[in-house]
Amino acid sequence: GIQVEQSPPDLILQEGANSTLRCNFSDSVNNLQWFHQNPWGQLINLFYIPSGTKQNGRLSATTVATERYSLLYISSSQTTDSGVYFCAVETLGTSYGKLTFGQGTILTVHP
Amino acid sequence: DADVTQTPRNRITKTGKRIMLECSQTKGHDRMYWYRQDPGLGLRLIYYSFDVKDINKGEISDGYSVSRQAQAKFSLSLESAIPNQTALYFCATSDSLRQGAKDYGYTFGSGTRLTVV
């Protein structure tokens, strides 16, 4: 099956800093999503982004499908950005639904 | 009310007991999923359903069964719980091509923390 690798595994920042999280995947995809899991365990969908660039406030994401990677940018980080960020993908040719998750990047933002 | 509701939120059960986790959604989505999360292993797909009559095994379906009672309801059963099924369980929904979706983003429930002793 498709492999998903996220880097870095851990990231510690001071409030106000910027960061870039990376997701590499081993096959062509038709579906790529980024999620944030907060310290209470809730999973929130940040982006559905199989290709191209999207922005939502301080967060933006870019997927270069031909090179099999996606980047999540967090600008002016806040303590509420802490948690685990997951990338999840689905292989091209399947039916737009079943995601394979990466292991996540644990982000800690200190005040 | 939450778009995707899971019950119970927490459950402790004994080895060998049957337990059902329930999920209901108000998103109107065709597709529903059950995932489990273990520390260090990310989320893994247990079962998925693309409509009421379409149920499929995921990556780790052994020891689990599901029922799609209606478009809005998808339950997960552990027929005889064992300790290595202790995990955080998530239900999720997504839109479908049939419904004209352009965005297949998942909506997750809040999770059920299950402990098997």
Side-chain angles (χ1 to χ4, degrees):
Chain A
I2 192 168
Q3 304 298 311
V4 184
E5 291 187 9
Q6 292 186 240
S7 60
D10 296 274
L11 187 57
I12 300 173
L13 300 174
Q14 288 297 127
E15 205 166 25
N18 302 328
S19 61
T20 301
L21 282 58
R22 187 177 179 102
C23 172
N24 292 332
F25 42 94
S26 61
D27 204 347
S28 299
V29 298
N30 61 9
N31 187 347
L32 187 147
Q33 300 182 38
W34 283 96
F35 298 90
H36 174 222
Q37 187 169 34
N38 66 25
W40 297 271
Q42 189 164 11
L43 279 158
I44 304 297
N45 188 291
L46 299 175
F47 294 103
Y48 166 77
I49 186 166
S51 63
T53 297
K54 289 186 178 179
Q55 180 157 6
N56 184 2
R58 295 181 297 104
L59 273 60
S60 64
T62 294
T63 297
V64 184
T66 53
E67 297 187 21
R68 299 184 184 173
Y69 73 89
S70 183
L71 302 173
L72 178 69
Y73 306 96
I74 305 174
S75 65
S76 304
S77 58
Q78 301 175 358
T79 57
T80 52
D81 294 330
S82 295
V84 185
Y85 289 81
F86 290 103
C87 169
V89 303
E90 182 177 13
T91 307
L92 185 66
T94 57
S95 49
Y96 287 102
K98 299 185 292 120
L99 293 175
T100 298
F101 282 74
Q103 299 304 304
T105 292
I106 302 172
L107 175 64
T108 304
V109 181
H110 291 302
Chain B
D1 288 343
D3 292 328
V4 182
T5 301
Q6 291 186 234
T7 57
R9 291 296 307 276
N10 293 282
R11 180 73 181 265
I12 300 174
T13 192
K14 293 185 177 180
T15 298
K17 292 291 189 183
R18 183 179 189 275
I19 182 168
M20 179 182 290
L21 310 182
E22 299 192 6
C23 177
S24 62
Q25 52 117 344
T26 58
K27 300 284 288 185
H29 286 165
D30 277 351
R31 300 178 169 194
M32 299 186 75
Y33 313 85
W34 278 103
Y35 282 83
R36 71 176 271 178
Q37 185 177 26
D38 299 275
L41 291 178
L43 281 83
R44 294 179 291 166
L45 181 63
I46 306 172
Y47 270 94
Y48 62 102
S49 170
F50 282 177
D51 67 38
V52 175
K53 295 181 181 178
D54 179 20
I55 294 178
N56 303 278
K57 293 182 178 181
E59 180 187 352
I60 53 164
S61 58
D62 286 350
Y64 301 94
S65 62
V66 290
S67 173
R68 184 85 184 262
Q69 300 95 325
Q71 187 202 35
K73 294 182 183 296
F74 192 38
S75 59
L76 176 72
S77 293
L78 287 68
E79 296 300 325
S80 179
I82 56 177
N84 76 359
Q85 292 177 312
T86 294
L88 185 55
Y89 289 84
F90 285 101
C91 174
T93 73
S94 70
D95 214 341
S96 69
L97 194 62
R98 184 188 69 82
Q99 295 177 303
K102 294 192 170 91
D103 184 330
Y104 299 94
Y106 273 25
T107 301
F108 276 96
S110 297
T112 294
R113 190 169 297 279
L114 177 66
T115 304
V116 183
V117 297

